[in-house]
Amino acid sequence: MSEGQPHQHSYIANRTKDDYLKRLRRIEGQVRGLQRMVEEEQYCIDILTQVSAVTKALQSVALGLLDEHMAHCVVDAAREGGAEADVKLKEASDAIARLVRS
Amino acid sequence: MSEGQPHQHSYIANRTKDDYLKRLRRIEGQVRGLQRMVEEEQYCIDILTQVSAVTKALQSVALGLLDEHMAHCVVDAAREGGAEADVKLKEASDAIARLVRS
Amino acid sequence: MSEGQPHQHSYIANRTKDDYLKRLRRIEGQVRGLQRMVEEEQYCIDILTQVSAVTKALQSVALGLLDEHMAHCVVDAAREGGAEADVKLKEASDAIARLVRS
Amino acid sequence: MSEGQPHQHSYIANRTKDDYLKRLRRIEGQVRGLQRMVEEEQYCIDILTQVSAVTKALQSVALGLLDEHMAHCVVDAAREGGAEADVKLKEASDAIARLVRS
């Protein structure tokens, strides 16, 4: 993690960034909705349906971010070539494997 | 959804319910963490790693809830038999299919 | 595995059994098709599309078998109750977790 | 599909190609094993365990092929740039989405 160095990966256009933030806030709201459903002991199947919806929304965010990453970081590294290109490809490939397996 | 009728599906023991609420609050915190990561334009691969972690945590909550549901609602319906048992099995089977495909 | 004791789990009606065999033979044919595609060095994206199709077909077979299993073995065990019911529920729940995570 | 034009995507080294063919033949054998298990009405949970194993093996083949594709076709297109790079990125991104969702 590069938490100490914010603002350095400006691969996301501002418009797109706002869109991701909006989607993540909606997902946060859905997770709070899940807490309320459990709190109120709503019907289990309804809770599971909602969990599937949140999972799909998260997957969709991940696939979008991955697209941006490939279109910018991976493509740039590919053009520069050398070891950095290999590192970026390996990173992307590991991230894809984690998404496919999760 | 049965939002107007809370407190009727007491299939979750109180201890377990607190555990689910704790896990869902941690997931909510992780989703807020994702917003901060996007806000600060942290490295895309780090964000994707975190999305995979949240997805796995949600899946684990879903599998736990499904277990409770099968051990209580489905088993009870199976014992009573009749159309209700078929309805419960169909519901559970649809929920499982949504989880497998999401 | 209970390979030495065939014919003991007659939870699948003959008509359904033929249907599963037909689907599995089609999947076998698709896997041979994948070999041919790799052999002929066909376009990678086309091969990946075909792998996704085979994975979906296998998932669908698994969900169908799980339904039969729950409607027969799990329901029967639930009716009999006791330790056997718990064992069957645990087995089903582990199988579901493997499907969700694979 | 480009079935009429074999031998044109030599992105896979021969050693790697043999490795993929070996893995796909093993998967074919596993699918035949599944047919035998259904034929002999073996225990449903054992069949499901085997289906999960086949699904994982197929996923692993897909992730490997995707790596090769990105390291060759996508990187080459990125270097050439232009519309072709966008097409290759879109194709790869769609294939990844299909894998994640299947």
Side-chain angles (χ1 to χ4, degrees):
Chain A
M1 301 261 178
S2 43
E3 296 196 21
Q5 304 146 298
H7 302 292
Q8 81 187 120
H9 304 285
S10 49
Y11 56 92
I12 315 181
N14 277 336
R15 196 186 51 74
T16 321
K17 187 171 153 179
D18 287 346
D19 178 56
Y20 282 115
L21 287 173
K22 205 176 294 176
R23 288 158 76 181
L24 286 168
R25 278 192 288 262
R26 201 180 312 132
I27 290 169
E28 186 194 335
Q30 288 175 307
V31 174
R32 266 201 302 270
L34 282 170
Q35 291 164 27
R36 188 174 48 78
M37 292 176 95
V38 169
E39 186 66 68
E40 295 178 355
E41 294 180 19
Q42 287 187 24
Y43 189 45
C44 186
I45 296 293
D46 292 340
I47 304 181
L48 291 175
T49 301
Q50 186 65 2
V51 173
S52 292
V54 181
T55 306
K56 269 183 197 300
L58 272 169
Q59 260 182 4
S60 172
V61 164
L63 290 170
L65 287 170
L66 184 66
D67 280 1
E68 313 259 1
H69 181 70
M70 299 224 302
H72 297 96
C73 298
V74 176
V75 162
D76 288 352
R79 278 171 194 159
E80 284 172 31
E84 185 61 13
D86 293 340
V87 168
K88 291 293 179 211
L89 277 172
K90 180 79 179 72
E91 271 183 358
S93 140
D94 289 348
I96 293 164
R98 277 193 299 271
L99 288 176
V100 169
R101 290 181 176 133
S102 73
Chain B
M1 300 259 178
S2 44
E3 295 194 23
Q5 304 146 298
H7 303 291
Q8 79 187 122
H9 304 284
S10 50
Y11 57 91
I12 314 183
N14 277 337
R15 197 185 52 74
T16 321
K17 187 169 153 179
D18 286 347
D19 177 57
Y20 282 115
L21 287 173
K22 206 176 293 175
R23 288 157 76 181
L24 286 168
R25 278 191 288 262
R26 201 180 313 132
I27 290 169
E28 186 194 335
Q30 288 175 305
V31 175
R32 266 200 301 269
L34 282 170
Q35 292 164 27
R36 189 175 46 79
M37 291 176 95
V38 169
E39 186 65 67
E40 294 178 355
E41 295 181 18
Q42 286 188 24
Y43 189 45
C44 185
I45 295 292
D46 293 339
I47 305 182
L48 291 176
T49 301
Q50 186 65 3
V51 173
S52 291
V54 181
T55 306
K56 268 181 197 299
L58 273 170
Q59 259 182 4
S60 172
V61 164
L63 289 170
L65 287 170
L66 184 66
D67 279 0
E68 313 258 2
H69 181 70
M70 299 223 302
H72 296 97
C73 298
V74 175
V75 162
D76 288 352
R79 278 174 193 155
E80 284 171 32
E84 185 61 12
D86 293 341
V87 167
K88 291 291 178 210
L89 277 172
K90 180 79 178 74
E91 270 182 0
S93 139
D94 289 349
I96 293 164
R98 275 192 300 271
L99 288 176
V100 169
R101 289 179 176 137
S102 74
Chain C
M1 300 260 177
S2 44
E3 297 195 21
Q5 304 146 298
H7 301 293
Q8 78 186 122
H9 304 284
S10 48
Y11 56 91
I12 315 182
N14 277 336
R15 198 185 50 74
T16 320
K17 187 170 152 180
D18 286 348
D19 178 57
Y20 282 114
L21 287 173
K22 206 176 294 176
R23 287 157 77 181
L24 286 167
R25 278 192 287 263
R26 201 180 313 131
I27 290 169
E28 187 194 335
Q30 288 175 305
V31 174
R32 265 201 302 269
L34 282 169
Q35 291 165 27
R36 190 175 45 79
M37 291 176 95
V38 169
E39 186 66 67
E40 295 178 355
E41 295 180 19
Q42 287 187 24
Y43 189 45
C44 186
I45 295 293
D46 293 339
I47 305 182
L48 290 176
T49 301
Q50 186 65 2
V51 173
S52 292
V54 180
T55 306
K56 268 183 197 299
L58 272 170
Q59 260 182 4
S60 171
V61 164
L63 290 170
L65 287 170
L66 185 66
D67 280 1
E68 313 258 3
H69 181 69
M70 299 223 303
H72 297 96
C73 298
V74 176
V75 163
D76 289 352
R79 278 173 194 157
E80 282 171 32
E84 186 61 12
D86 293 340
V87 168
K88 291 293 179 211
L89 277 172
K90 180 79 178 72
E91 270 182 359
S93 139
D94 289 348
I96 293 164
R98 276 192 300 271
L99 288 177
V100 169
R101 289 179 176 137
S102 73
Chain D
M1 301 260 177
S2 45
E3 295 194 23
Q5 305 146 298
H7 302 290
Q8 79 186 122
H9 305 285
S10 49
Y11 57 91
I12 314 182
N14 277 336
R15 198 186 51 73
T16 321
K17 186 170 153 179
D18 286 347
D19 178 58
Y20 282 114
L21 287 174
K22 206 176 292 175
R23 289 158 75 181
L24 286 168
R25 277 192 287 261
R26 201 180 312 130
I27 290 169
E28 186 193 337
Q30 288 175 307
V31 175
R32 265 200 303 270
L34 282 170
Q35 292 164 27
R36 190 176 44 81
M37 292 177 95
V38 169
E39 185 66 68
E40 293 178 355
E41 295 180 17
Q42 286 187 24
Y43 189 46
C44 185
I45 296 292
D46 293 339
I47 305 182
L48 291 175
T49 302
Q50 186 65 3
V51 173
S52 292
V54 181
T55 306
K56 269 182 198 299
L58 272 169
Q59 260 181 4
S60 171
V61 164
L63 289 169
L65 287 170
L66 184 66
D67 280 2
E68 313 259 1
H69 181 70
M70 299 223 303
H72 297 97
C73 298
V74 176
V75 162
D76 288 352
R79 279 172 193 157
E80 283 172 32
E84 185 61 11
D86 294 340
V87 168
K88 290 292 178 211
L89 277 172
K90 180 80 178 74
E91 270 182 359
S93 140
D94 289 348
I96 293 164
R98 276 192 300 271
L99 288 176
V100 169
R101 289 179 176 136
S102 74

